[in-house]
Amino acid sequence: MTWLEPILLTIVTASTPLLLAALGELICERAGVLNLGVEGMMIIGAVCGFAVAHTTGSMSLGVIAAVVCSMIMSLLFGFLTLHLLCNQVATGLALTILGLGLSGLIGESFIGEPGHKLPQLELPFLSELPYVGRLLFAQDALVYISILGVILVSFVLFRTRLGLIIRATGDNHRSAHALGYSVRKVRYGAVLFGGACSGLAGAYLSLAYTPQWTEGMTAGRGWIALALVVFASWRPLRLLLGAYLFGAVSVLQFHAQAYGIALPSQLMSSLPYIVTIFVLVIISGNKQLTKINTPACLGKPFRPDR
Amino acid sequence: MPDELQTSGEDDHADYLIEARNISKQFGSTLANNCVNIAIKPGEIHALLGENGAGKSTLVKILYGALKASSGTLFWKGKPAEVSSPSAARKLGIGMVFQHFSLFDSLSVTENIALALPKGFKKKQLAEQIARVSHSYGLPLDPHALVADLPVGVRQRIEIVRCLLQNPDLIIMDEPTSVLTPQEAEQLFVTLKRLTDEGCSILYISHRLEEVQLICHNATIMRHGKVVHSCDPSKETAASLAQMMVGGEVHSITSHRQTATSKTLLEIDALSLEGSGPFSVSLKNISLQVQGGEVVAIAGIAGNGQGELFDVLSGETRLKDSYAIKYLGVPCGRRRVNARRRLGAAFVPEERLGHGAVPDMSLTENVLLTRHRSGDALVSAGMVNKSLCHALEARIIDEYDVRMAHPGSEAGALSGGNLQKFIVGRELDRRPRVMVINQPTWGVDAGAAALIRQSIIDLARSGAAVVVISQDLDEIYEVADRISVISRGQLSKAEPVATISREKIGLLMAGMAENQQDNEGPYAA
């Protein structure tokens, strides 16, 4: 058991940013908006979180700054796609490019600066349980938030009226509009939630995963988060499963090397994408399933004819 | 009977449930509604008639709060009212059943209905309530079913039940019977009768004048954004109503039915085809022979295999058995669309935009799409002869009275009726020997529909074989020499128009051919 625990711990840290970012994108896509700018929002969150935490010395302020800055990015995306009806794919890609560039500029003076790690919140008694104690109950706040977030999103999406409205908007925005719901308001809300989640994911990277700032430190995690949403066929609980699976795959290569098993790292890092393609092929074979879960209006701009 | 309803206080505005005064709505430079007045009494079924583009939908959307009027006032139960949004309309007691349903495919019946109700319901209670109300009005629904799995008739019930659960005083219905079998429509009329007996008013929009005469107490007729007539439809004839709508004599269709004598031009022999996905219908052992000079109509409710049959006939879906379809005696089951066209066949699919024409292309370019290889020399040595295309386009526009805002319009900018006239004209202009048309006048106004139907008949009389696939029984009776019914992928034997009644067609549509063959009932025409 002693050799397993560190592996499992690294899986948790590798999976949490994926889970957080994908959770936001899931709500966004359920409302019918495809935001390909996750990577860009995430890295802005990472750099702003680190900068504020480093300057003020307050970790909480850092996390809040990450969330707010990513939300501003998502607001820009929302304004372009929901108000000006720009193409969502092109705008999302532009957002990623903007985020990567802007983060380099903001973070220039922070390269190489030592950072602090988010404190681990040890739950009394529970964290002393044998085997699982340290793994489950001695993590930092963002890990708990990511797990609670999955439960909360799942509950809201399938048990509440708000969730019903979000799903309805993504399924058929014309009908939602005809029934008197403001498609634009619902989508703004979803896009902002997506931004906030990406910000948390970014903050996790620069304040917990590797507590420092390096340029391009998101390293494609935003894209994996996007793939994850499809992998989970837009269901939050499957997202949890998928995030930990993808997280495990991405850290396994390091542990494999440590144990002298030679696996080409390129193969391992491409694995999440290969798995996603497989899942896509499998779910597209089942038309009924696809039809129920895929938001039918995903990526389509909506112009109310008023 | 209609006259006895609410005869007192005609002049007192407080007696109207809803009254719209001087409603105008401007879209850019066009006036979609021009000082429209309409008043509906409690407990009446009020018809709103007009051609496509007359401004009916605009008016209805204003009443329902989905559009904002540029000027004018609404009175609800005698008091001025602001209907700023659909939810405000629902709060007042106005419900709407849309023509293009406002349902969510991936949600259950209960969820669909919950979305239209105010907050604070329990899912389980709501499901029970849906089951109860829907049964009591003769519109049974399974509250847990997924909308994607339900046929159109049932989807409409969801819309109606959704309205009923809001206890409305006024229900607006946009073309409610266009998706129903005659029997389902009868059932709907019973439900409507019961609703009006309970004091609910209904604003009823329909193209079907017979139906309006049968059930409506009053009618308001619109043309070019204005109200041109108000009348009691039961005192008018279908022809006089049509005349009010169009503003002139509707070109009446002449058919001169004759028995087809020439040889068989289209032959379908024991055609079977497995459905290609969970939502497509399998075609089962379809046989049909169409002679030159006749029109055979295929009736049926949407989604019973019409689309699949059309694709097989046009060559978009190719068969393994080449002999299952013969055009002019040539086995064609495995041939492509263009090979069939070269034999003299022509096809008009159901969807105008995206299937019959490319929305973003000009009409000139659209001319080329079906005629580049049919011997008009539009293309020589790989080069497009533009002036010839232009000439052809001009000829079609002229001959089939296609109207557009400005010359060189894209196909997508034309109104439905005008685009359909163009597409039908494009195919007819080739003088085809065999023509297959799917839903020739779907969503087309009366004037354009009459022109299209007449040209279909004229084509047949000139010696061509024509197959018309349609859901509109009035249309079928107008154009067809023989009628066949498609139900769940099976095609009934084509029978001459004179010997097949509407009731029998209705039963065949519902797939009850076997037991009811000899019983034509008391309504047999």
Side-chain angles (χ1 to χ4, degrees):
Chain A
M1 268 326 266
T2 44
W3 59 271
L4 192 61
E5 203 179 69
I7 295 184
L8 291 178
L9 277 172
T10 50
I11 289 177
V12 172
T13 45
S15 307
T16 300
L18 299 179
L19 183 57
L20 283 167
L23 204 56
E25 180 66 13
L26 184 137
I27 286 290
C28 205
E29 292 191 12
R30 274 285 187 175
V33 185
L34 180 67
N35 186 352
L36 293 183
V38 178
E39 178 90 1
M41 298 190 296
M42 208 165 152
I43 199 151
I44 285 289
V47 71
C48 294
F50 184 84
V52 170
H54 188 266
T55 332
T56 64
S58 159
M59 298 304 273
S60 336
L61 275 183
V63 174
I64 290 168
V67 169
V68 170
C69 294
S70 290
M71 279 173 88
I72 292 171
M73 290 286 281
S74 69
L75 194 65
L76 174 67
F77 177 82
F79 180 72
L80 288 169
T81 58
L82 301 177
H83 254 101
L84 305 181
L85 305 179
C86 295
N87 180 305
Q88 293 182 6
V89 171
T91 312
L93 291 174
L95 195 70
T96 290
I97 297 168
L98 173 68
L100 289 171
L102 200 60
S103 68
L105 186 70
I106 298 171
E108 212 192 346
S109 55
F110 295 99
I111 294 173
E113 295 283 325
H116 296 285
K117 206 167 164 16
L118 273 178
Q120 292 182 336
L121 302 176
E122 302 194 1
L123 301 184
F125 309 118
L126 288 174
S127 60
E128 284 151 34
L129 285 173
Y131 307 124
V132 295
R134 305 228 34 96
L135 187 62
L136 295 180
F137 302 108
Q139 299 287 355
D140 56 66
L142 290 181
V143 175
Y144 298 130
I145 288 176
S146 72
I147 305 289
L148 290 177
V150 170
I151 298 165
L152 190 74
V153 162
S154 186
F155 178 81
V156 168
L157 211 46
F158 298 109
R159 294 288 147 126
T160 68
R161 189 179 174 82
L162 175 65
L164 185 58
I165 294 169
I166 292 174
R167 283 187 289 143
T169 308
D171 186 63
N172 188 338
H173 48 215
R174 290 246 151 254
S175 297
H177 178 69
L179 289 184
Y181 293 105
S182 168
V183 173
R184 200 181 269 168
K185 264 189 214 161
V186 172
R187 292 197 168 157
Y188 260 117
V191 165
L192 284 172
F193 180 80
C197 287
S198 290
L200 285 179
Y204 188 84
L205 285 179
S206 65
L207 299 176
Y209 192 68
T210 46
Q212 57 178 332
W213 166 250
T214 43
E215 219 179 308
M217 72 184 298
T218 45
R221 286 188 181 82
W223 298 110
I224 298 187
L226 278 163
L228 253 172
V229 176
V230 181
F231 173 90
S233 52
W234 295 272
R235 299 189 77 91
L237 293 178
R238 283 185 214 160
L239 196 67
L240 181 64
L241 183 84
Y244 274 77
L245 190 71
F246 283 22
V249 168
S250 64
V251 294
L252 231 50
Q253 49 179 320
F254 303 117
H255 293 288
Q257 277 165 14
Y259 285 93
I261 307 164
L263 274 172
S265 65
Q266 293 89 345
L267 178 73
M268 295 305 280
S269 50
S270 65
L271 215 54
Y273 302 101
I274 296 173
V275 174
T276 301
I277 291 172
F278 267 108
V279 171
L280 277 177
V281 170
I282 292 164
I283 62 172
S284 69
N286 187 339
K287 286 229 173 73
Q288 187 70 25
L289 196 77
T290 323
K291 197 161 183 165
I292 296 167
N293 283 321
T294 314
C297 283
L298 184 57
K300 292 183 193 159
F302 176 71
R303 185 199 300 272
D305 54 350
R306 198 176 170 90
Chain B
M1 259 231 294
D3 296 356
E4 288 161 26
L5 275 163
Q6 300 293 332
T7 43
S8 63
E10 283 279 355
D11 301 317
D12 189 357
H13 293 297
D15 265 17
Y16 290 119
L17 176 70
I18 188 169
E19 195 192 353
R21 274 188 228 165
N22 295 323
I23 296 284
S24 294
K25 175 71 185 176
Q26 187 108 26
F27 284 118
S29 62
T30 53
L31 207 52
N33 273 187
N34 187 358
C35 288
V36 171
N37 290 299
I38 188 169
I40 302 168
K41 286 176 265 181
E44 75 166 351
I45 304 183
H46 193 111
L48 184 58
L49 298 173
E51 291 193 282
N52 283 2
K56 289 172 300 179
S57 341
T58 307
L59 176 62
V60 160
K61 280 183 184 162
I62 289 169
L63 294 182
Y64 188 59
L67 277 178
K68 207 176 155 67
S70 309
S71 66
T73 350
L74 283 180
F75 293 87
W76 177 253
K77 294 181 179 167
K79 294 188 192 87
E82 180 86 21
V83 187
S84 55
S85 70
S87 52
R90 285 197 298 268
K91 246 175 235 154
L92 283 178
I94 304 173
M96 169 131 192
V97 176
F98 295 90
Q99 179 186 13
H100 302 288
F101 302 147
S102 59
L103 296 176
F104 305 94
D105 277 358
S106 68
L107 305 182
S108 75
V109 172
T110 310
E111 288 175 322
N112 265 283
I113 292 177
L115 278 164
L117 299 180
K119 284 176 199 164
F121 57 87
K122 290 272 180 298
K123 222 175 184 177
K124 212 172 153 195
Q125 282 171 7
L126 183 64
E128 283 163 13
Q129 202 184 350
I130 290 166
R132 197 177 61 240
V133 170
S134 64
H135 273 98
S136 78
Y137 281 94
L139 307 160
L141 281 178
D142 170 10
H144 305 293
L146 211 60
V147 170
D149 298 332
L150 299 174
V152 270
V154 180
R155 289 183 190 209
Q156 188 185 50
R157 282 188 215 157
I158 304 174
E159 289 262 358
I160 297 173
V161 170
R162 178 154 79 178
C163 267
L164 292 180
L165 282 175
Q166 300 161 32
N167 297 318
D169 295 311
L170 172 67
I171 298 181
I172 304 170
M173 295 186 133
D174 196 357
E175 302 265 349
T177 53
S178 59
V179 295
L180 303 180
T181 63
Q183 281 83 359
E184 282 176 316
E186 286 290 325
Q187 175 60 53
L188 177 69
F189 298 155
V190 173
T191 307
L192 295 186
K193 176 83 177 54
R194 189 175 151 196
L195 282 168
T196 50
D197 287 347
E198 289 172 5
C200 183
S201 304
I202 287 155
L203 180 58
Y204 192 90
I205 303 167
S206 181
H207 276 309
R208 300 190 181 169
L209 301 173
E210 290 83 358
E211 199 173 277
V212 167
Q213 285 184 288
L214 193 70
I215 64 165
C216 295
H217 306 132
N218 270 308
T220 297
I221 296 153
M222 292 183 72
R223 194 192 323 142
H224 302 314
K226 284 185 187 162
V227 170
V228 287
H229 282 283
S230 290
C231 63
D232 178 349
S234 60
K235 291 187 182 138
E236 302 287 336
T237 62
S240 66
L241 286 173
Q243 201 177 325
M244 291 179 210
M245 275 165 61
V246 184
E249 199 74 33
V250 176
H251 174 61
S252 65
I253 291 190
T254 49
S255 167
H256 307 298
R257 289 210 167 89
Q258 56 187 45
T259 34
T261 46
S262 74
K263 60 177 183 173
T264 303
L265 295 182
L266 168 61
E267 190 177 355
I268 310 174
D269 184 24
L271 180 158
S272 292
L273 181 75
E274 262 312 296
S276 58
F279 297 107
S280 79
V281 178
S282 302
L283 300 175
K284 292 163 206 141
N285 199 18
I286 288 179
S287 294
L288 181 69
Q289 296 194 333
V290 188
Q291 270 91 43
E294 71 167 346
V295 179
V296 173
I298 297 178
I301 306 161
N304 270 289
Q306 288 97 326
E308 288 80 359
L309 180 61
F310 179 84
D311 286 352
V312 164
L313 288 177
S314 70
E316 280 175 61
T317 308
R318 287 185 292 156
L319 298 167
K320 289 209 179 75
D321 174 14
S322 206
Y323 289 86
I325 296 175
K326 287 184 199 158
Y327 284 104
L328 295 91
V330 181
C332 277
R334 290 159 74 165
R335 295 199 181 205
R336 291 172 192 276
V337 185
N338 271 326
R340 298 180 198 209
R341 286 202 185 114
R342 278 199 296 272
L343 282 172
F347 311 99
V348 177
E350 177 179 6
E351 281 171 286
R352 287 186 276 275
L353 289 175
H355 202 167
V358 179
D360 294 338
M361 285 190 177
S362 71
L363 293 186
T364 320
E365 289 166 315
N366 270 296
V367 162
L368 194 62
L369 287 175
T370 63
R371 303 194 45 173
H372 59 114
R373 287 172 73 181
S374 48
D376 299 301
L378 294 183
V379 179
S380 57
M383 304 296 280
V384 176
N385 186 339
K386 277 225 161 177
S387 58
L388 213 54
C389 290
H390 271 302
L392 233 170
E393 177 202 357
R395 192 165 83 204
I396 297 166
I397 287 174
D398 183 48
E399 220 167 296
Y400 295 91
D401 187 29
V402 181
R403 289 174 219 171
M404 50 184 145
H406 54 90
S409 279
E410 292 161 353
L414 267 65
S415 75
N418 280 311
L419 183 58
Q420 186 72 0
K421 283 193 279 189
F422 170 76
I423 293 171
V424 171
R426 177 182 69 190
E427 301 307 316
L428 286 174
D429 183 74
R430 281 175 48 206
R431 314 240 158 268
R433 300 293 311 280
V434 183
M435 179 129 169
V436 183
I437 310 185
N438 194 1
Q439 317 299 353
T441 60
W442 187 83
V444 164
D445 62 68
L451 188 142
I452 290 170
R453 288 170 193 165
Q454 186 63 56
S455 38
I456 290 172
I457 293 170
D458 293 345
L459 174 72
R461 298 302 169 248
S462 73
V466 182
V467 175
V468 173
I469 303 174
S470 176
Q471 293 174 50
D472 183 345
L473 281 187
D474 296 332
E475 166 172 276
I476 285 178
Y477 273 101
E478 257 175 58
V479 302
D481 299 307
R482 288 191 295 148
I483 299 175
S484 170
V485 178
I486 191 164
S487 172
R488 296 190 196 116
Q490 283 174 304
L491 193 67
S492 75
K493 192 171 161 296
E495 293 185 47
V497 166
T499 62
I500 185 162
S501 69
R502 277 172 191 256
E503 272 61 39
K504 180 159 184 203
I505 292 177
L507 293 171
L508 286 167
M509 280 178 172
M512 287 185 275
E514 307 82 40
N515 353 347
Q516 303 281 349
Q517 214 124 50
D518 304 317
N519 177 14
E520 302 224 320
Y523 307 107

